[in-house]
Amino acid sequence: MARYAIGIDLGTTHSAVSYLNLEEGKPRGPAQSMLPIPQVTAPGTVEARPLLPSFLYLPSAQEFPPGSLALPWNPNATHFAGEFARTHGAKVPTRLVASAKSWLSHPGVDRRAALLPWQAPEEVQRVSPVEASTRYLRHLREAWDHTFARAREEAGNAMAAQDVIITVPASFDAAARDLTLEAAKAAGLDNPLLLEEPQAALYAWLEAQGESFRKSMRVGEVILVVDVGGGTTDFSLITVRDRAGEVELTRVAVGDHILLGGDNMDLALAHTLQQRLTAEGKKLDAWQFNALTHGCRTAKETLYGNAAFTHAPLAIASRGSSLLGGTIRTELTREELDRVLTEGFFPTTPLTEMPRLARRTGLAQMALPYAQDAAVTRHLAAFLTRQAQALASSPDSPVDVGGKAFIHPTAVLFNGGVFKAGPLKARVMEVLNAWLAADGGQPARELEGADLDLAVARGAAYYGWVRQGHGLRIRGGTARAYFVGVETAMPAVPGMEPPVKGLCVAPFGMEEGTQADVPPQEFGLVTGEPTRFRFFASSVRRDDKVGAFVDDVEGNPEFEELAPVETTLPGTPAPYGDLTPVNLQAAVTEVGTLELRCLEKNGPGRWKLELNVRMKE
Amino acid sequence: MTDQPSLSFFARLWLALVCFWRIWLDRSFAQAVLPVRQADIAGRLPAGAPVESAPAPAPAPVPAPVPPPVVAVPPEREHASALQLLAMLQREGRLIDFLQEDVAAFPDEDVGAAARIVHEGCRKLVRQYFTLEAVLPQGEGERVQVPAGFDAQRIRLTGNVAGQPPYSGALKHHGWVATALTLPSPSPAMDPRVLAPAEVELS
């Protein structure tokens, strides 16, 4: 029996750990706390901070004096994560691992291959996105154990013995979830649960509301969670339903994974100021540009925090010891802030304006698939209209879309550090309410009172409490339907590939802890030699049942092809054409991952397909 | 009487402050201090203990086991916390760079720009590690009463200091008092004299 519920927010730019004592028999108050995370903040200095910046620095052997990277639980640490990794890594980008989480969900690369820091020189010992995530999680586990389970008699307090809930973006596909779990296991956490971040944010809000939630929320409400963090933007829809007289929360839809966040915004401001400085004949080196980005963040907070200021001064120090001669002065004006940030990232656009997708140049640097369009509001419009179309054609839609151009949210919950800027929240509400008014709807209201930095970790810990039967649970299941590609039998035609059909193996909304047998179809499974499976997912095909065949999955915008599974299933190679007859079974584990099993027909053979081990070609 | 370098009043004040908070906040430090305290009570404090605070019970009849030679702590170790604070002020706010430069040679504009950097960094540091409060809560310029038996460390009388308390006067400066201090512990792996490393950029 676990003593604590521990929520881990493994974020793109920051991680945090919250916990509550399950034995105390109440959800929190001061009992739900944040774990102070000891981390290297300078050589020879270890300090505890509420957030662990998700940065990993891989130093060369001579770079720092021996013992200066020691952690309280590891005197011989050779690499470091956290605050100093971020600040020092800005000066040595080739040894800094950043955005590991975005790489973890990038289907275009082999996520188990040591490829970070991306484009590092040969001699740097690289790590894989999974390994980087493992190291952050191990740091958090060791910090916990150091704080709560140092003595032998405290062994029951070790993190591995608690209910650990790790949050993932709602838009993480089955593979990225699986890899997160793999990282957790490698970090010494055997049975963590996965929870979607927007759900965690809503749990944190519910917890803060207490019982008053039932008074303030009516059945039929549609809550839009807008989560803009340091590196990603995520949308989720959660609706309030009535099931047998009981209020129930159901997660209706999640958006695509959009690599766009607060870091883009600070960079955009820094580029704007840099252009002005260049015009004035002042050149910035990479380090100064980084300082400028940091300064822009502070200036942004100043201007958004006080409407009376027309500009915020900025000073960028020289690298050298002369502070007076080398300092570059500039300022961020409100006009620039509004133009670049409010209008650039949150423009007032009509609902019909969709995000730009086209690349402007034929060749692009191979890197993370960043969003091509910076306008969060256009991505939101695309999400709400796309989901409305999907729900309108669904016979048992949990939300009434009847004749509306897009899903009408009745309430909005903001999450992510970007929304510490009140004017940006106000802009999202303004744009959304303009769409609602134009479509004949009622204005949506904002759900107030979320702690934007810590809500996800806190909500995750609270989920541990909810799982024990307290409070309201958000039901959701898979946010996508999953299909396996089946090659259709056709006579060989030169130069023509046989078309691929999609067989639905896991329907949309399949709940944790359930499994589904794919009815009568029987497949021939190749064992004992390398073979390849193709998978497709769809966030809008809500009504395909298990076993349904879809003809045109290739090139269909409703489907997204996942990385194929290339594997050699144990067994003896059979002579050509002699395949093992199997039935397929899909299971969504308690943990929140998807498993595909091949069960030998009338035999004992069982094979598990691990989704997405190789990169997409 | 003592093998250790004598501690000045201010060094002892600093040490007391640092030890107080670290014993309070850092269990392992407290455990490290405990044997010293117990030895002090038992009168077995090694060289360096003031004799008058631990009266020896009786002269030892046999040659006492030679106490381990106490290595004099070099000054930079003794004041490691102070050096560390200076290093942090440099790291966060470039304070040493600022103080080492000749301000007179630059126009106010440049000094102002530099001051923003120093101010932002040092302010962040002070806020992070110290909890500061005014000694007197009243607004400056208001009339305040100074009772009999006031704490002369906390309140300094100026102007026409005469007569007996209680006094009544105008509050000129509300004073500052640190109510909490959370400096990180200096690492034995580091030379505290290095306030900022030289930076060499490889290309």
Side-chain angles (χ1 to χ4, degrees), chain A residues 41-49 65-68 83 91 150 154 285 287 294-295 298 313-329, chain B residues 27-28 84 88 91-95 97-98 101-103 106 109-118 120 124 128-129 182-187 189-190 199 201:
Chain A
T41 55
T45 312
V46 172
E47 291 174 88
R49 298 278 159 87
S68 65
E83 186 71 40
K91 300 178 194 172
R150 236 187 294 185
E154 296 172 327
D285 64 18
W287 182 83
H294 179 77
T298 316
L314 268 151
I316 302 123
S318 69
R319 271 292 296 266
S321 67
S322 168
L323 201 54
L324 288 163
T327 296
I328 296 170
R329 275 172 295 126
Chain B
R27 181 185 303 187
S28 60
Q84 182 193 31
M88 285 159 74
R91 192 171 76 223
E92 298 294 331
R94 307 282 298 269
L95 184 66
D97 289 343
F98 186 63
E101 206 156 17
D102 180 11
V103 178
F106 291 95
E109 269 194 359
D110 287 355
V111 180
R116 286 193 186 281
I117 291 165
V118 177
E120 193 196 334
K124 182 179 140 204
Q128 186 155 9
Y129 297 99
T182 52
L183 281 178
S185 39
S187 160
M190 308 299 289
E199 288 189 7
E201 188 153 299

Side-chain angles (χ1 to χ4, degrees), chain A residues 253-553:
Chain A
V254 301
D256 295 327
H257 202 52
I258 307 168
L259 291 192
L260 173 66
D263 291 353
N264 303 50
M265 298 175 192
D266 299 332
L267 267 179
L269 292 175
H271 279 296
T272 308
L273 295 195
Q274 187 191 29
Q275 277 170 13
R276 202 173 64 208
L277 288 169
T278 311
E280 291 167 12
K282 294 171 192 157
K283 222 174 136 29
L284 299 180
D285 64 18
W287 182 83
Q288 285 175 317
F289 182 76
N290 191 58
L292 177 66
T293 312
H294 179 77
C296 282
R297 186 178 310 143
T298 316
K300 170 187 82 180
E301 284 160 13
T302 310
L303 289 179
Y304 275 138
N306 191 331
F309 295 160
T310 57
H311 66 276
L314 268 151
I316 302 123
S318 69
R319 271 292 296 266
S321 67
S322 168
L323 201 54
L324 288 163
T327 296
I328 296 170
R329 275 172 295 126
T330 183
E331 60 181 26
L332 179 69
T333 65
R334 185 164 293 280
E335 184 276 322
E336 283 164 330
L337 182 76
D338 288 342
R339 175 166 50 84
V340 175
L341 229 162
T342 319
E343 294 306 324
F345 287 87
F346 298 89
T348 311
T349 55
L351 180 73
T352 47
E353 210 171 298
M354 294 289 129
R356 269 194 335 266
L357 293 171
R359 291 187 179 275
R360 293 191 205 100
T361 44
L363 276 180
Q365 205 177 20
M366 177 63 201
L368 286 173
Y370 294 111
Q372 292 297 297
D373 192 326
V376 173
T377 44
R378 280 198 283 269
H379 287 286
L380 180 60
F383 168 68
L384 291 175
T385 45
R386 226 179 113 141
Q387 288 299 334
Q389 287 155 13
L391 285 166
S393 57
S394 171
D396 54 347
S397 163
V399 177
D400 176 26
V401 194
K404 294 171 196 156
F406 69 108
I407 292 184
H408 288 196
T410 57
V412 181
L413 178 68
F414 289 100
N415 191 46
V418 164
F419 290 115
K420 280 188 213 163
L424 294 183
K425 283 201 269 194
R427 172 53 74 91
V428 172
M429 294 308 295
E430 176 196 323
V431 172
L432 179 66
N433 283 334
W435 295 341
L436 285 165
D439 203 34
Q442 296 296 314
R445 68 185 198 282
E446 187 193 328
L447 302 182
E448 313 246 6
D451 181 341
L452 295 160
D453 274 334
L454 309 176
V456 167
R458 297 185 75 100
Y462 179 65
Y463 174 65
W465 167 258
V466 170
R467 271 178 54 84
Q468 301 204 335
H470 312 279
L472 269 179
R473 183 156 178 186
I474 305 171
R475 308 220 163 255
T478 53
R480 291 173 172 75
Y482 287 89
F483 299 80
V484 65
V486 180
E487 206 175 274
T488 47
M490 65 174 272
V493 177
M496 199 179 153
E497 294 269 317
V500 171
K501 284 186 177 187
L503 169 71
C504 182
V505 286
F508 191 99
M510 194 169 160
E511 290 214 27
E512 291 97 7
T514 61
Q515 57 183 42
D517 292 314
V518 182
Q521 287 94 345
E522 188 179 298
F523 297 89
L525 186 69
V526 181
T527 56
E529 56 188 285
T531 180
R532 185 162 181 268
F533 298 83
R534 286 173 77 182
F535 286 97
F536 300 85
S538 175
S539 59
V540 292
R541 304 278 305 199
R542 303 184 64 94
D543 299 310
D544 291 314
K545 302 271 181 282
V546 177
F549 260 117
V550 183
D551 279 340
D552 50 344
V553 287

Side-chain angles (χ1 to χ4, degrees), chain B:
Chain B
M1 159 175 140
T2 166
D3 294 338
Q4 287 193 330
S6 68
L7 286 169
S8 73
F9 171 74
F10 290 105
R12 280 185 287 135
L13 179 67
W14 177 253
L15 189 66
L17 258 177
V18 170
C19 289
F20 175 75
W21 285 108
R22 288 212 50 211
I23 289 170
W24 191 234
L25 299 167
D26 182 343
R27 181 185 303 187
S28 60
F29 185 82
Q31 273 165 351
V33 172
L34 187 64
V36 179
R37 162 91 180 124
Q38 283 165 343
D40 182 29
I41 294 168
R44 286 185 283 102
L45 202 61
V51 173
E52 56 273 24
S53 73
V62 287
V66 183
V70 173
V71 183
V73 182
E76 72 271 14
R77 285 282 168 210
E78 193 187 327
H79 299 296
S81 295
L83 289 167
Q84 182 193 31
L85 182 60
L86 197 54
M88 285 159 74
L89 287 165
Q90 162 68 12
R91 192 171 76 223
E92 298 294 331
R94 307 282 298 269
L95 184 66
I96 302 174
D97 289 343
F98 186 63
L99 297 179
Q100 289 296 97
E101 206 156 17
D102 180 11
V103 178
F106 291 95
D108 284 359
E109 269 194 359
D110 287 355
V111 180
R116 286 193 186 281
I117 291 165
V118 177
H119 180 263
E120 193 196 334
C122 295
R123 177 187 172 88
K124 182 179 140 204
L125 185 132
V126 169
R127 288 191 165 187
Q128 186 155 9
Y129 297 99
F130 299 85
T131 307
L132 302 182
E133 280 174 20
V135 173
L136 292 182
Q138 292 91 338
E140 289 175 2
E142 284 180 31
R143 295 213 62 85
V144 294
Q145 302 296 318
V146 180
F150 69 95
D151 183 345
Q153 273 199 77
R154 291 183 171 243
I155 296 173
R156 178 149 311 151
L157 302 175
T158 62
N160 182 21
V161 183
Q164 294 301 313
Y167 301 113
S168 174
L171 181 63
K172 288 294 176 189
H173 191 298
H174 60 52
W176 289 112
V177 60
T179 55
L181 172 63
T182 52
L183 281 178
S185 39
S187 160
M190 308 299 289
D191 181 346
R193 290 173 298 183
V194 181
L195 301 176
E199 288 189 7
V200 179
E201 188 153 299
L202 310 180
S203 53

